[in-house]
Amino acid sequence: MPRTPTPLKGKTAVITGGARGIGRIAALTLAESGANIALLDVIEDVKATAAEIAAKGVKAQGYLADVTHTEQVTGLFKEIQGTFGSVDVLVNNAGITRDAMLLRMSDEDWDKVLAINLRGAFVCLRAAARYMLKQQSGCIVNIASVVGVIGNAGQCNYSASKAGMIGLTKSAARELASRNIRVNAIAPGYVKTAMTDKLPEEAKAAMLKMIPLARYSEPQDIANAVLFLASDESSYITGHVLHVDGGMGM
Ligand code: NAD
């Protein structure tokens, strides 16, 4: 069978943190594959990004929402189901860093990172699963990180949140598999976005030395993996952590 250029035609994909960075490029990539797109983000840019996606000829809506607010998220998924007609793909991409060495890391920095990166992913996954279970199909893609696998000095909170996300991925995958819902994670290495722009030049140079492919990743490298895991091309894959890191984590 020849491959279709629009494998996600008619599907609805919800992308958290979709206003910019990896989330924005993933949303554009899924839209180019035919998906209608709902973006959730805490920054106003979410509206402009949704307009940019709608210009591709799919339905797109940007919602100002915080993934840590259970009621807000639950209400939004209900609204998305009503407006779009289904929830087929969830990309749990919203995430932050609050880096500090262990002894300088505050409880607030720990709690904030765990709340957004891990609890937020759980809240959205649970909200999406409600509709996916009813329709007996769905794909969830969690954006974890290589540091959730190998750790990183100065990122105890962040790496714990991403390791937690991998556990969440595997447990949810086991729980939902019998209902035709797949749950996978992507572990990116160093991706050129606002998140990494703010790192000191020495840290960026040190990171580059750790990458066997000897280049930083573009958001499109991650978006390509999102498309693969969100489409039927990966229909026999669940509970998997796909490393898209130039070899950093092997
Ligand atoms: P980014 O900062 O450009 O994008 C993150 C987005 O999440 C932003 O639009 C932000 O407004 C949104 N967000 C933050 N808090 C939110 C909340 N409470 N509710 C909803 N949205 C919220 O960063 P990015 O590099 O594009 O990162 C995207 C994901 O990829 C993150 O989960 C990050 O941890 C992960 N990741 C990034 C890298 C990297 O090198 N850039 C590497 C590995 C993993």
Side-chain angles (χ1 to χ4, degrees):
M1 278 266 283
R3 289 191 164 89
T4 159
T6 52
L8 298 179
K9 197 170 171 54
K11 305 261 186 199
T12 306
V14 181
I15 296 141
T16 71
R20 68 176 194 201
I22 294 169
R24 173 175 158 270
I25 301 297
L28 283 160
T29 302
L30 298 187
E32 279 158 11
S33 301
N36 298 315
I37 304 291
L39 302 176
L40 270 63
D41 208 303
V42 284
I43 55 172
E44 283 288 344
D45 306 29
V46 72
K47 304 279 179 191
T49 306
E52 183 188 6
I53 292 166
K56 297 207 166 279
V58 298
K59 197 174 197 174
Q61 196 78 46
Y63 299 94
L64 267 176
D66 183 334
V67 292
T68 64
H69 280 244
T70 301
E71 277 176 27
Q72 204 177 42
V73 168
T74 313
L76 256 181
F77 272 83
K78 194 173 178 196
E79 189 177 329
I80 291 165
Q81 168 74 28
T83 307
F84 289 81
S86 63
V87 176
D88 304 292
V89 175
L90 166 67
V91 184
N92 266 321
N93 166 80
I96 61 160
T97 52
R98 290 280 186 281
D99 298 349
M101 297 309 277
L102 189 54
L103 295 190
R104 290 179 184 274
M105 187 172 284
S106 67
D107 290 355
E108 289 73 26
D109 284 346
W110 174 272
D111 290 345
K112 182 91 182 152
V113 168
L114 268 289
I116 294 176
N117 296 8
L118 185 55
R119 187 175 174 281
F122 157 69
V123 166
C124 292
L125 195 156
R126 183 180 55 187
R130 195 181 303 278
Y131 300 99
M132 292 176 174
L133 281 165
K134 276 194 194 130
Q135 71 199 23
Q136 300 261 316
S137 68
C139 284
I140 294 159
V141 182
N142 293 326
I143 308 298
S145 168
V146 64
V147 309
V149 181
I150 65 172
N152 193 23
Q155 289 197 307
C156 281
N157 51 359
Y158 183 78
S159 59
S161 74
K162 296 301 187 178
M165 211 178 195
I166 290 172
L168 170 68
T169 300
K170 293 182 180 181
S171 294
R174 287 186 185 277
E175 199 169 315
L176 300 172
S178 65
R179 313 293 281 275
N180 193 31
I181 300 166
R182 298 186 295 110
V183 189
N184 290 292
I186 295 171
Y190 180 111
V191 191
K192 283 194 266 174
T193 67
M195 184 177 271
T196 43
D197 265 1
K198 63 186 180 193
L199 290 173
E201 286 308 317
E202 317 83 75
K204 290 183 192 173
M207 201 72 79
L208 191 57
K209 287 199 184 126
M210 292 167 63
I211 306 172
L213 284 182
R215 70 167 175 88
Y216 303 128
S217 151
E218 298 293 337
Q220 190 64 55
D221 295 310
I222 313 306
N224 294 343
V226 171
L227 174 59
F228 171 65
L229 291 174
S231 76
D232 283 348
E233 296 277 318
S234 61
S235 61
Y236 202 55
I237 300 175
T238 198
H240 186 67
V241 182
L242 182 54
H243 288 235
V244 185
D245 62 1
M248 213 175 154
M250 72 180 156

